Amino acid sequence: MIIGVGIDVAEIERFGAALDRTPGLAERLFTPNELKLPSGEDRGIASLAARFAAKEALAKSLGAPAGLSWLDAEVVTEDSGRPRLTVQGTVAARAATLGVRAWHLSLSHDAGVASAVVIAEA
């Protein structure tokens, strides 16, 4: 059963500008693993914007309650390249309250826009 669906978009250039003008913003939004590619190189702005959209979409799938921590949700890249969500703390607590047992995530970025869709499933 679907508990919630969230979708979000982020303009890549605007998101990059926000990261540039706000020291420490990336570290407040993303876990250390999200900031790096599996190779250890810095993740590009388009990829980070998609991950930000995923966290916004995740919050929407949970009803957008106040008090969720950005760092309590992480977009992990599987060996196959497929993205998936892991949650802990505030996000895991809200998901448990709603009965969420599985997450479905899709990310995309093209034409200057990053997007994400999250489905929370019981």
Side-chain angles (χ1 to χ4, degrees), residues 51-119:
R51 279 156 174 72
F52 177 73
K55 291 180 183 215
E56 287 278 350
L58 170 67
K60 291 173 183 177
S61 77
L62 295 174
L68 296 181
S69 170
W70 294 108
L71 299 178
D72 284 348
E74 182 177 45
V75 177
V76 176
T77 305
E78 295 179 352
D79 290 341
S80 66
R82 180 181 179 177
R84 69 177 167 81
L85 287 165
T86 63
V87 299
Q88 62 182 0
T90 59
V91 177
R94 175 64 176 170
T97 297
L98 296 175
V100 176
R101 295 179 187 260
W103 300 101
H104 304 277
L105 170 64
S106 181
L107 304 175
S108 186
H109 45 79
D110 189 30
V113 176
S115 62
V117 174
V118 172
I119 298 171

Side-chain angles (χ1 to χ4, degrees), residues 27-51:
E27 290 75 19
R28 292 193 305 268
L29 296 175
F30 303 108
T31 66
N33 289 335
E34 287 175 309
L35 292 171
K36 300 286 183 181
L37 293 168
S39 66
E41 296 176 60
D42 289 342
R43 190 172 294 280
I45 296 301
S47 181
L48 289 176
R51 279 156 174 72

